[in-house]
């Protein structure tokens, strides 16, 4: 690629301003982050996807600004939060997925925390998703599942709490998918969406990870981490830990035992009682615990009222994480703008992060996609995949979010570096 001299100079100046801005606005980052931001330990590579998305933007201010950064260099940013690793193309919560996120400059990397029947904490998005995210149904451990897979049988249900730690470690992670019509266990493990890929599931890859192993990796890389305590079967939690509070404490104890600086841990949960427990019982961790907003109108879970927001702020909650769609809206000109809910959250004094970028297929725009882009159900603003950058820009500059979870952190890293976050 030919880089014009003026663009190279601009990129160098911009990179310098990014480093200065990052140091000034680090907000709780410790000194041991700095070598990674300066590339001394990790050579951040965002890959070709951000360039593809920028190139597809309509001409205008945003495209022009983002094109100025095409020469790099790129640096780690805490604005870029890894969602389950890099599951757009790597099996979620696998070692390989985390390594990809680290290489793409994610400043915070997530481990969704579930548990085995012998009480060990492991990285898995759900207590009972092993039948779609690992090879369990094609192993002898299928017989241990709450509902084993069988040809023509009921939908399988395989839980981390069905098996021991050693059994869990024998599994291989795969892309989250299944083929319910399959007549063989190997066939059932197929079904990967055509806009994702199975290219990175070969070799002896797909290594599943425990929370302790995740912590060791993150400490090695020097980045921050955000464990999400996942909802689990209440009876099993009671049997294994003695109750929900003990389960929440086990997560924090794992970090304390590993000697992790609480300032580098953003414990999160959809269960407000977990967050309030950490605030009261483990204030060093609780002061930046994240309440994941469960808003979902289809499930009749409406937005929090202004009064409820004030109650949570008074109770010590500092960070709220609603889904992206809840923070955005369209104006009369079909431009993306902050939602009234976003403004209410800001007015209540909360810090905001959001989820999850690069999570859905936008190759044909947002029309009919629902989920993370339900603020634009007819695709009037998000008409093509590149337009997702317009949503990201509004979240960052107008809503003022401090970080964005992404299934492909390189895209958010590119944006964050270019904009000085």
């Amino acid at each position: 690629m030919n880089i014009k001299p003026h663009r190279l100079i601009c990129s160098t100046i911009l990179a310098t301003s990014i480093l200065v801005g990052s140091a000034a606005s680090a907000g709780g980052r410790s000194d041991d982050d700095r070598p990674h931001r300066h590339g001394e330990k990790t050579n951040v590579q965002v890959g070709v996807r951000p360039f593809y998305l920028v190139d597809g933007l309509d001409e205008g201010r945003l495209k022009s600004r983002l094109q100025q950064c095409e020469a790099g260099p790129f640096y780690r940013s805490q604005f870029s939060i890894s969602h389950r690793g890099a599951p757009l193309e790597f099996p979620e919560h696998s070692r390989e997925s985390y390594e990809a996120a680290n290489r793409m400059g994610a400043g915070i990397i997530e481990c969704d925390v579930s548990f085995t029947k012998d009480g060990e904490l492991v990285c898995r998005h759900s207590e009972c998703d092993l039948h779609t995210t690992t090879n369990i149904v094609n192993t002898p451990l299928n017989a241990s599942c709450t509902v084993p897979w069988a040809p023509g049988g009921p939908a399988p249900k395989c839980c981390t709490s069905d098996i021991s730690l050693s059994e869990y470690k024998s599994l291989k992670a795969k892309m989250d998918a299944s083929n319910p019509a399959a007549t063989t266990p190997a066939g059932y493990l197929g079904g990967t969406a055509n806009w994702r890929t199975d290219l990175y599931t070969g070799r002896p890859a797909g290594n599943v990870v425990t929370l302790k192993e995740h912590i060791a990796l993150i400490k090695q890389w020097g980045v921050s981490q955000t464990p999400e305590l996942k909802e689990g079967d209440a009876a099993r939690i009671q049997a294994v830990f003695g109750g929900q509070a003990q389960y929440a404490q086990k997560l924090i104890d794992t970090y304390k035992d590993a000697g992790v600086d609480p300032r580098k841990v953003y414990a999160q949960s959809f269960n407000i009682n977990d967050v309030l427990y950490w605030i009261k019982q483990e204030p060093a961790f609780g002061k930046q615990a994240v309440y994941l907003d469960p808003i979902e109108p289809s499930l009749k879970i409406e937005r929090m009222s202004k009064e409820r927001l004030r109650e949570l702020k008074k109770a010590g909650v500092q960070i709220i994480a609603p889904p992206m769609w809840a923070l955005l809206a369209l104006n009369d000109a079909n431009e993306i703008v902050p939602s009234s809910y976003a403004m209410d959250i800001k007015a209540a004094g909360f810090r905001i992060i959001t989820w999850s970028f690069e999570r859905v297929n936008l190759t044909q725009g947002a029309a009919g996609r629902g989920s993370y882009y339900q603020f634009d159900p007819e695709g009037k603003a998000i008409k093509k995949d590149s337009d997702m950058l317009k949503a990201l820009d509004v979240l960052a500059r107008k809503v003022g979010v401090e970080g964005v979870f992404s299934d492909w952190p390189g895209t958010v890293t590119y944006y964050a570096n270019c904009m000085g976050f």
Side-chain angles (χ1 to χ4, degrees):
M1 176 172 61
N2 277 324
I3 305 298
K4 295 180 180 179
H6 76 276
R7 178 159 290 176
L8 183 58
I9 293 170
C10 179
S11 178
T12 302
I13 294 172
L14 182 61
T16 302
S17 69
I18 288 168
L19 290 174
V20 173
S22 295
S25 62
R29 298 179 194 170
S30 54
D31 288 346
D32 58 356
D33 280 326
R34 293 196 186 111
H36 299 272
R37 289 204 301 274
H38 289 269
E40 294 174 15
K41 292 187 178 180
T42 297
N43 177 17
V44 172
Q45 301 174 25
V46 296
V48 299
R49 182 162 175 77
F51 300 91
Y52 162 81
L53 293 173
V54 170
D55 186 61
L57 280 169
D58 296 335
E59 298 300 325
R61 177 203 62 80
L62 180 60
K63 181 173 183 175
S64 177
R65 175 68 184 270
L66 292 176
Q67 282 180 325
Q68 293 177 9
C69 307
E70 63 186 15
F74 299 102
Y75 302 94
R76 187 179 307 288
S77 171
Q78 283 201 291
F79 187 83
S80 178
I81 306 174
S82 157
H83 181 239
R84 312 187 200 179
L88 182 65
E89 296 193 2
F90 288 83
E92 64 184 48
H93 292 308
S94 66
R95 181 187 179 101
E96 293 76 14
S97 193
Y98 294 139
E99 289 172 339
N102 176 53
R103 180 62 68 192
M104 285 189 277
I108 305 174
I109 299 179
E110 179 188 46
C111 167
D112 289 325
V113 178
S114 193
F115 62 96
T116 61
K117 70 178 182 181
D118 48 354
E120 291 298 322
L121 301 183
V122 296
C123 296
R124 195 81 350 228
H125 179 252
S126 169
E127 179 190 352
C128 298
D129 71 3
L130 294 181
H131 50 284
T132 62
T133 63
T134 75
N135 64 337
I136 191 169
V137 304
N138 199 28
T139 76
L141 289 173
N142 180 56
S144 300
C145 292
T146 298
V147 180
W149 179 87
K157 181 179 180 181
C158 300
C159 309
T160 56
S161 55
D162 288 331
I163 58 178
S164 67
L165 175 64
S166 61
E167 290 170 330
Y168 172 80
K169 286 296 292 178
S170 73
L171 300 176
K172 290 296 180 182
K174 59 179 284 293
M175 295 301 285
D176 185 7
S178 65
N179 177 10
T183 57
T184 66
Y188 177 83
L189 296 177
T192 300
N194 61 11
W195 53 279
R196 293 183 181 268
T197 182
D198 287 315
L199 283 175
Y200 303 111
T201 59
R203 306 181 321 201
N207 292 289
V208 296
V209 176
T210 68
L211 177 59
K212 290 178 181 177
E213 290 170 336
H214 181 269
I215 290 171
L217 284 173
I218 303 308
K219 288 183 70 177
Q220 173 186 326
W221 297 331
V223 300
S224 295
Q225 46 198 307
T226 181
E228 179 189 337
L229 193 67
K230 301 302 295 187
E231 180 182 10
D233 180 270
R236 294 189 182 190
I237 289 174
Q238 183 69 36
V240 173
F241 300 103
Q244 184 67 30
Q246 293 90 328
Y247 180 33
Q249 185 63 52
K250 172 83 170 183
L251 184 147
I252 299 300
D253 286 345
T254 305
Y255 280 91
K256 292 167 71 175
D257 291 346
V260 179
D261 184 343
R263 293 174 299 175
K264 303 194 77 170
V265 180
Y266 296 83
Q268 51 174 333
S269 179
F270 281 101
N271 184 343
I272 187 59
N273 292 326
D274 292 337
V275 176
L276 296 177
Y277 174 87
W278 293 326
I279 290 170
K280 183 176 181 180
Q281 301 298 331
E282 293 289 349
F285 290 87
K287 66 183 179 181
Q288 60 182 26
V290 179
Y291 176 42
L292 295 165
D293 189 339
I295 180 174
E296 182 48 70
S298 67
L299 299 177
K300 298 184 178 180
I301 304 174
E302 303 297 334
R303 56 150 286 178
M304 289 183 282
S305 66
K306 293 181 181 180
E307 180 181 5
R308 178 57 174 162
L309 289 170
R310 288 193 293 268
E311 289 174 353
L312 292 182
K313 194 68 170 64
K314 186 176 180 180
V317 178
Q318 300 298 320
I319 308 175
I320 288 182
M324 288 169 42
W325 67 264
L327 298 174
L328 300 172
L330 297 186
N331 64 15
D332 291 341
N334 291 323
E335 299 167 327
I336 304 171
V337 296
S339 68
S340 59
Y341 188 34
M343 296 297 96
D344 288 344
I345 296 172
K346 287 186 65 175
F350 290 101
R351 299 163 60 191
I352 307 173
I353 61 176
T354 192
W355 45 278
S356 291
F357 204 66
E358 296 272 35
R359 185 67 188 159
V360 297
N361 177 15
L362 293 177
T363 52
Q364 303 301 316
R369 298 309 304 169
S371 188
Y372 301 95
Y373 292 86
Q374 56 187 286
F375 69 92
D376 185 17
E378 298 178 27
K380 293 180 178 180
I382 308 295
K383 299 178 180 179
K384 54 185 181 296
D385 50 9
S386 293
D387 291 337
M388 69 173 75
L389 292 170
K390 296 193 297 185
L392 181 61
D393 191 49
V394 173
L395 287 167
R397 293 192 307 106
K398 296 184 178 180
V399 176
V401 302
E402 295 188 12
V404 177
F405 282 90
S406 178
D407 280 24
W408 200 246
T411 304
V412 178
T413 299
Y414 183 104
Y415 174 89
N417 281 191
C418 199
M419 297 299 187
F421 288 97

